[in-house]
């Protein structure tokens, strides 16, 4: 079974400051890793994902995350945040076995980190 | 069209009512999901449909009854709910890799959710 730990439930920062949201996972098999963002009163949007290849992945709005297998981490970073980045951020993990026909994937979410960007 | 739509946006119901939540996608996805999200908590998986067949039921009480009438639609029928069932109900969809042995992940696209209040 997989599990995800987000170490910080709340992270307040000032606008234009750097931020790091921490995520650690536990799994006995290879995993896929994701960061989702949820703005107030909205559904979840995929921010970025690690499936394979380069361990550093980037989003179109300046976020990046690095997959570190030895530390079982997938921390999210942004060098300079905006007020519009205020949201809840969820780290998630999926592990699927090779299955003929593919199929649906089960996501396990962390408890979330509330990022608040203050002016 | 890369959107998952959900209706209604808000729903208030009594414990004796019968209501339904609807989810629709036109991305050709063959896997659809229902999640329940309580305030300040991560989404919890309820059901997964793959090729219109129920593939995962996470021990959800029978007062929640899912239905997948076709590949684009997913319903969640509600009956005799309890106040503790009040939550945001999220629908998601993903493609599937039919006929392949290769591991693949198919990104889940989330709808905006239905905010349910049970009185």
């Amino acid at each position: 079974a997989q599990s995800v730990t987000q170490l910080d439930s709340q992270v307040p920062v000032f606008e234009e400051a750097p931020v790091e949201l921490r995520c650690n996972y536990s799994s006995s098999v290879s995993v896929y890793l994701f960061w989702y963002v949820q703005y107030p009163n909205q559904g979840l949007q995929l921010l970025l994902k690690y499936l394979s290849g380069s361990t550093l992945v980037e989003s179109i709005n300046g976020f990046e995350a690095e997959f570190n297998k030895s530390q079982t981490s997938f921390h999210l970073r942004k060098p300079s945040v905006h007020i519009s980045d205020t949201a809840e951020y969820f780290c998630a993990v999926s592990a699927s076995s090779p299955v003929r026909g593919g199929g649906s994937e089960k996501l396990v979410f962390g408890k979330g980190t509330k990022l608040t960007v203050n002016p | 069209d890369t959107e998952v739509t959900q209706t209604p946006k808000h729903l208030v119901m009594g414990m004796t009512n019968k209501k339904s939540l609807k989810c629709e996608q036109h991305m050709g996805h063959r896997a659809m999901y229902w999640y329940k999200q309580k305030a300040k908590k991560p989404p919890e998986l309820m059901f997964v449909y793959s090729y219109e067949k129920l593939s995962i039921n996470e021990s959800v009480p029978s007062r929640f009854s899912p239905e997948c009438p076709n590949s684009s639609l997913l319903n969640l029928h509600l009956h005799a709910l309890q106040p503790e069932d009040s939550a945001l109900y999220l629908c998601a969809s993903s493609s599937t890799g039919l006929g392949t042995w290769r591991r693949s992940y198919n990104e889940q696209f989330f709808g905006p959710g239905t905010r349910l209040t049970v009185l």
Side-chain angles (χ1 to χ4, degrees), chain B residues 54-87:
Chain B
L54 185 65
S55 61
I56 296 177
N57 178 340
E58 291 287 341
S59 303
V60 179
S62 59
R63 57 186 184 268
F64 294 92
S65 175
E67 178 197 20
C68 190
N70 61 55
S71 60
S72 300
L73 292 174
L74 183 67
N75 298 322
L76 185 63
H77 302 299
L78 315 172
H79 174 53
L81 294 194
Q82 304 296 311
E84 59 264 29
D85 296 321
S86 298

Side-chain angles (χ1 to χ4, degrees), chain A residues 10 19 29 39 58 68-69 83 102 110-111 117:
Chain A
Q10 297 188 60
V19 70
V29 298
Y39 298 101
E58 299 176 354
N68 188 318
K69 189 174 181 180
I83 288 180
K111 292 187 175 182
V117 181

